Amino acid sequence: MRKKWMSGVLMLLVAAFLSGCGYNQMQRLEENVFKAWGDVESNLQRRADLIPNLVETVKAYAAHEKETLEAVIAARAKATAVNIAPGDLGDAAAMQRLQAAQGELSSALSRLMVVVERYPDLKANQNFLDLQNQLEGTENRINVARQRYNKAVEGFNYAIRKFPNSLTNSLLLHLDRKEYFKAEEGAQAAPKVRF
């Protein structure tokens, strides 16, 4: 009788420990990070797909701004050449390379928007206005996707560090913390627009 009672108590303790160890929670949170990263990549791809159309439309109206347009094309090519696999989300250097390439593309797009301000005839073109609106929407989507990714990373990083999840992680899973998507160097300074 005493053996059955001890066995029952032991089973309850094991069940309680396993239900509170966080194994499944950490797995779910890591998947959330991967999904959020996929959303960031999807929006970056949307931008990369949209830019050639924008550039072709602008080229027809702004041949005299060829240098700016070529900078956009070169920055797009560079930005699409840098990819991060889900397994590299913990690699700060890889994340920094991606952010640098995306920053160059954003800078080139800013210069393109200055061209629009300088030459009102570009703004009158309905195709350009439509593409400009699409690009603005895409940039907003990218920003939202980055914020959601960082929120997912925050939840995951906390989960693998809190007790008892930290024990489960160190003994069973060996999951590494994920890197946040950070602003590029100097992003806190307001951009200077020169005409």
Side-chain angles (χ1 to χ4, degrees):
M1 173 91 153
R2 182 174 164 103
K3 244 183 180 181
K4 281 187 178 184
W5 183 78
M6 291 286 267
S7 175
V9 168
L10 184 62
M11 293 289 266
L12 282 174
L13 286 174
V14 168
F17 174 74
L18 289 178
S19 68
C21 72
Y23 183 91
N24 290 333
Q25 177 195 24
M26 288 184 285
Q27 297 290 326
R28 181 182 51 81
L29 290 173
E30 187 175 41
E31 287 303 316
N32 286 348
V33 169
F34 293 151
K35 185 223 176 274
W37 182 249
D39 291 345
V40 169
E41 287 183 322
S42 174
N43 283 297
L44 293 174
Q45 183 64 50
R46 182 179 192 274
R47 176 169 69 176
D49 292 343
L50 184 62
I51 289 170
N53 295 326
L54 175 62
V55 169
E56 288 303 315
T57 302
V58 174
K59 262 187 186 177
Y61 287 90
H64 52 284
E65 289 294 333
K66 184 178 178 186
E67 182 181 303
T68 302
L69 297 174
E70 287 175 348
V72 171
I73 293 167
R76 176 198 174 262
K78 189 173 184 181
T80 57
V82 178
N83 293 315
I84 294 183
D88 294 335
L89 290 176
D91 183 356
M95 187 66 81
Q96 195 171 29
R97 284 191 303 274
L98 174 80
Q99 288 176 212
Q102 292 300 323
E104 287 179 34
L105 180 55
S106 294
S107 176
L109 289 172
S110 296
R111 290 192 303 275
L112 180 62
M113 292 306 141
V114 169
V115 170
V116 173
E117 295 299 324
R118 278 186 174 167
Y119 303 102
D121 58 321
L122 287 177
K123 292 180 83 171
N125 181 298
Q126 187 59 46
N127 289 334
F128 181 80
L129 288 175
D130 291 345
L131 289 167
Q132 185 179 11
N133 288 336
Q134 292 255 353
L135 186 59
E136 181 181 348
T138 299
E139 292 299 318
N140 289 336
R141 288 177 186 173
I142 290 169
N143 187 47
V144 169
R146 287 174 182 161
Q147 290 172 349
R148 289 180 180 161
Y149 169 76
N150 283 346
K151 185 76 174 160
V153 167
E154 176 188 30
F156 174 78
N157 287 347
Y158 173 71
I160 65 171
R161 293 177 58 204
K162 75 177 184 178
F163 185 82
N165 293 8
S166 59
L167 290 176
T168 303
N169 188 41
S170 64
L171 295 173
L172 300 175
L173 296 172
H174 309 288
L175 300 173
D176 295 324
R177 72 180 292 285
K178 306 301 181 202
E179 289 293 321
Y180 288 98
F181 200 108
K182 299 174 188 153
E184 62 186 79
E185 191 72 29
Q188 65 274 17
K192 293 181 180 166
V193 179
R194 294 187 181 137
F195 294 99

